Amino acid sequence: MRLLIENGVWRSVASKIDPAGEMSGSSKARESTSTFNHQRRTRSLSPEIEHHRLRILYELLYDLTKTHSLEDVYESAISALLAGTDAGRASIRIFDDDGILRFKAWRDLSSDFREALTSYVPWPKGAVDALPVLKPGVGRDKDLAPFRDALACEDVSGMGIIPLISQNGVFGTFDLLYRQPHSFSDNEVIVAQAIAYHISSATEKKKAAIQLAEVARRREAILESTNVSIVVKDASGRYTLVNRRFRRLLHISKQQVAGKTDYDFFPRDVADRLRANDERVFHEGQIIEFEEEIPYDDGIHTYISEKIPLRSAEGQIVAVCTIAKDITDQKKADTALRRANRSLEQFAYSVSHDLREPTRMMVAFTQLLQKCCGPRLDAQANKYMEFIVGGALQMQNLISGLFDFLESGNIPNEQIVPVNCESGVAGAKDILKGAIEKTGAHIIVGPMPSVEVRGFHLIQLFQNLIGNAIKYAKAGVSPRISIQSEREDNMWRFSVSDNGIGIPLEHHDQVFGLFKRLHARGEYRGTGIGLAICRNIVDWYGGRIWVESEVGHGSTFFFTLPGPREATGVSGRCQQHKDVSD
């Protein structure tokens, strides 16, 4: 809403001031609350006044092109206001976040006056229909009564307040202050509004520029401080952005890298590989991850590089951004760990192999000694020989268990083919057939899915879990075992439940340890390796295994395994609650 003079009365119209200060818009007007009789009744401006007005605006526009901050914009506005109006003093106030008008720039105004006038708000922040508030004489103005003392002390007798308006409504004011009561001319208000128009526009642009500069500064700070290398190359492979991490590795500056390509810094074979990876991203148009090896003066570095296509507003790929994390130390540590594990495995294999023969000889010759000399030895001596044989046999079992444990982690380097779990259960049943028949165990199997696990590992899992359920059955009670499966995101969760003796809560984690036993050897046979093998297998495939149990109420072992990458279905051949003990 703007003002024009019509029959000596200020009226507001739905119009805008153009950049030159001219009014345009609907002639339909409504009388302003700040109307007053205009004494001069000037309808048109003289050429001299028009020339002065345009000169003021052009000088303002020129000054605005040289501003670097909002403070510079406000100072240019104050100068233009004082040059283009009859005001002897002026100020600019801007709304803060709390809706209070704060002084941002002023000329010849005391701090007491500024503090008092801060609370004078002609319109609320964001108002869309704000009009200039013109006070020819402030002495009897009711709106200014609370500020009369401050105005008098500052020698202010006339006052004009011009709204600063953006797309979001009013965001501030121009304040024109006069030492004498003042009759506002149409030229004076038009000039003030034209200046307000340009200052509003300049303020919005400057704020946007400041925000963009702050975003750019923060982006630069992130790019320069991160410990990953970030590189942007255009379609021709030329560097358009590199961060400090990358420059430090090559010992180059920003100026040295501008316009260069990989061929300027790396051997041709390396540059060819890097260029081929970039071109693949241009061709496929999607984020691709590569492992790249790049030579530097301190040796070859290995990177996990994520290459991201950057598109124009039209959707065309115009550049590739590479974010590369240096995993050289990790690769070295992994290599050292693999070597250590390989040495440990070789040692364990050697020990398990080399100890088998001595223990076998110990058992054989002790039993031969019992056969040949037993009748001539007393009972104590025969008992000692039984201890020797028993210990040697236990040693053989432990060695065999250790060998099985090592084998469970020895994963062939071959593609994994999805296997249906029915075959794993069936294979375990065949191995445990004698124990199943002897104890009268009933095994109930629910629908079984396919999983991405090697078949022999699946058999080992079910063999150990079903075998444990049979071994730790209650005395005089036939084992009853239930095997079920349930989908869990991209994994399958299996449960193997039994009606056995159960496991104390404090031992739920301990049972998965190597050689961990909860009972004396005389109570239950075994080496304490079976569940450790289960954990070894499940861990290797990225799953987890745990137990829920209560003493006297059986146990349920849970474990998860990955399903096939395609849609995973449940086999229709396995019936719900099918008794497969027969």
Side-chain angles (χ1 to χ4, degrees):
M1 309 292 283
R2 295 293 184 263
L3 297 182
L4 59 81
I5 294 177
E6 186 172 301
N7 297 326
V9 178
W10 285 105
R11 296 183 182 275
S12 61
V13 297
S15 61
K16 292 185 178 180
I17 297 290
D18 66 21
E22 299 296 342
M23 288 192 177
S24 62
S26 171
S27 60
K28 185 178 180 180
R30 63 179 177 83
E31 185 168 328
S32 167
T33 58
S34 58
T35 61
F36 62 93
N37 289 329
H38 182 62
Q39 303 298 324
R40 294 170 63 181
R41 299 178 182 270
T42 304
R43 285 301 192 125
S44 60
L45 302 177
S46 67
E48 292 79 8
I49 294 177
E50 179 71 11
H51 175 76
H52 176 69
R53 176 167 65 91
L54 292 177
R55 182 175 61 82
I56 294 297
L57 294 179
Y58 290 150
E59 288 179 354
L60 172 64
L61 292 175
Y62 176 74
D63 290 341
L64 291 177
T65 62
K66 299 185 294 183
T67 58
H68 300 287
S69 64
L70 285 173
E71 288 73 17
D72 294 340
V73 172
Y74 300 149
E75 285 298 325
S76 297
I78 292 291
S79 298
L81 284 171
L82 294 176
T85 68
D86 297 331
R89 289 164 293 177
S91 64
I92 294 178
R93 291 182 293 161
I94 303 296
F95 280 108
D96 63 13
D97 293 337
D98 297 325
I100 298 175
L101 278 170
R102 304 288 184 185
F103 281 83
K104 296 298 182 179
W106 59 89
R107 294 287 172 83
D108 301 329
L109 297 177
S110 68
S111 59
D112 291 341
F113 178 79
R114 297 198 306 272
E115 183 177 353
L117 264 289
T118 294
S119 58
Y120 177 48
V121 181
W123 333 271
K125 180 181 180 180
V128 296
D129 56 352
L131 300 172
V133 175
L134 306 178
K135 307 288 187 181
V138 301
R140 297 181 179 181
D141 193 288
K142 294 180 180 179
D143 293 339
L144 296 176
F147 313 99
R148 193 164 293 158
D149 292 341
L151 291 167
C153 290
E154 203 70 17
D155 194 19
V156 175
S157 298
M159 189 175 182
I161 305 171
I162 310 298
L164 295 174
I165 303 175
S166 69
Q167 292 180 348
N168 298 320
V170 173
F171 70 90
T173 70
F174 280 166
D175 305 317
L176 304 174
L177 307 173
Y178 303 85
R179 296 186 185 276
Q180 301 295 328
H182 184 70
S183 179
F184 291 88
S185 69
D186 53 349
N187 174 65
E188 195 170 19
V189 177
I190 289 173
V191 168
Q193 286 191 293
I195 295 173
Y197 170 87
H198 289 293
I199 294 303
S200 297
S201 177
T203 299
E204 285 189 310
K205 291 178 180 178
K206 189 61 65 177
K207 284 182 177 180
I210 291 172
Q211 290 175 349
L212 287 175
E214 180 63 17
V215 170
R217 187 192 66 78
R218 292 178 181 177
R219 183 190 65 184
E220 182 77 5
I222 293 171
L223 288 173
E224 295 297 282
S225 61
T226 184
N227 62 351
V228 298
S229 295
I230 300 177
V231 177
V232 177
K233 305 174 200 171
D234 62 19
S236 62
R238 298 189 180 280
Y239 295 117
T240 60
L241 181 149
V242 296
N243 70 339
R244 181 183 301 172
R245 174 73 175 177
F246 182 81
R247 297 195 305 272
R248 282 181 174 177
L249 289 170
L250 292 179
H251 306 293
I252 56 176
S253 65
K254 286 184 179 180
Q255 293 73 24
Q256 289 173 309
V257 80
K260 300 295 180 63
T261 70
D262 292 326
Y263 293 94
D264 294 305
F265 301 111
F266 302 113
R268 174 164 289 277
D269 60 330
V270 175
D272 285 342
R273 290 198 303 270
L274 296 175
R275 182 60 181 160
N277 291 342
D278 292 341
E279 288 179 342
R280 180 180 166 189
V281 176
F282 273 102
H283 177 70
E284 297 184 12
Q286 59 185 2
I287 299 174
I288 305 178
E289 188 175 278
F290 299 92
E291 182 173 305
E292 297 177 320
E293 290 187 346
I294 302 178
Y296 295 108
D297 54 3
D298 61 345
I300 294 178
H301 287 235
T302 304
Y303 289 89
I304 290 294
S305 298
E306 191 173 68
K307 294 183 179 287
I308 306 166
L310 303 181
R311 300 178 184 273
S312 65
E314 294 75 26
Q316 181 181 2
I317 300 176
V318 295
V320 170
C321 175
T322 300
I323 302 175
K325 181 179 180 180
D326 193 332
I327 61 169
T328 304
D329 292 339
Q330 179 183 335
K331 292 281 285 188
K332 290 179 180 178
D334 289 345
T335 300
L337 182 60
R338 283 197 298 270
R339 288 174 180 170
N341 285 338
R342 194 179 305 115
S343 298
L344 184 60
E345 288 179 6
Q346 290 173 350
F347 172 75
Y349 275 116
S350 177
V351 169
S352 63
H353 180 271
D354 294 345
L355 286 180
R356 282 182 173 182
E357 185 61 20
T359 53
R360 189 187 68 81
M361 294 291 289
M362 190 184 303
V363 171
F365 281 97
T366 303
Q367 289 175 336
L368 185 60
L369 185 61
Q370 280 182 312
K371 184 177 181 179
C372 296
C373 304
R376 289 180 288 169
L377 299 174
D378 59 18
Q380 190 71 20
N382 278 290
K383 186 176 181 180
Y384 289 159
M385 285 191 286
E386 289 177 1
F387 286 157
I388 294 173
V389 172
L393 290 174
Q394 181 63 25
M395 174 77 75
Q396 284 183 334
N397 289 335
L398 290 174
I399 291 170
S400 295
L402 178 61
F403 187 82
D404 291 340
F405 178 78
L406 293 172
E407 281 293 309
S408 70
N410 187 15
I411 311 298
N413 187 19
E414 59 186 31
Q415 186 177 0
I416 302 176
V417 178
V419 177
N420 191 276
C421 293
E422 290 180 1
S423 62
V425 174
K429 276 183 58 216
D430 288 341
I431 296 172
L432 297 170
K433 184 176 181 180
I436 293 172
E437 293 177 350
K438 182 178 179 179
T439 59
H442 293 272
I443 303 175
I444 302 171
V445 181
M448 288 288 105
S450 294
V451 292
E452 282 201 349
V453 176
R454 290 177 173 82
F456 66 92
H457 281 155
L458 205 55
I459 293 173
Q460 275 186 299
L461 270 171
F462 286 114
Q463 176 190 343
N464 282 301
L465 294 174
I466 295 172
N468 266 18
I470 294 173
K471 182 193 301 184
Y472 296 104
K474 295 176 182 177
V477 178
S478 295
R480 188 171 183 85
I481 304 165
S482 175
I483 304 173
Q484 304 295 333
S485 65
E486 182 180 351
R487 191 66 187 264
E488 189 178 83
D489 297 329
N490 62 334
M491 307 286 281
W492 281 97
R493 184 179 67 188
F494 297 86
S495 63
V496 179
S497 304
D498 62 54
N499 60 341
I501 61 175
I503 302 171
L505 178 62
E506 62 269 22
H507 296 311
H508 283 188
D509 287 330
Q510 181 182 343
V511 295
F512 295 102
L514 190 60
F515 299 125
K516 296 295 183 181
R517 296 176 55 87
L518 304 184
H519 306 277
R521 298 190 188 278
E523 294 183 71
Y524 298 96
R525 298 179 60 187
T527 59
I529 291 179
L531 290 178
I533 290 175
C534 291
R535 170 168 280 182
N536 211 26
I537 293 172
V538 171
D539 284 350
W540 196 93
Y541 291 101
R544 56 194 182 97
I545 186 169
W546 69 100
V547 64
E548 294 178 4
S549 180
E550 185 178 346
V551 175
H553 293 83
S555 303
T556 299
F557 284 86
F558 296 93
F559 62 93
T560 60
L561 293 173
R565 296 177 186 176
E566 300 80 16
T568 304
V570 175
S571 170
R573 295 177 295 164
C574 189
Q575 300 175 1
Q576 186 75 23
H577 301 303
K578 178 181 177 183
D579 190 334
V580 296
S581 61
D582 298 330

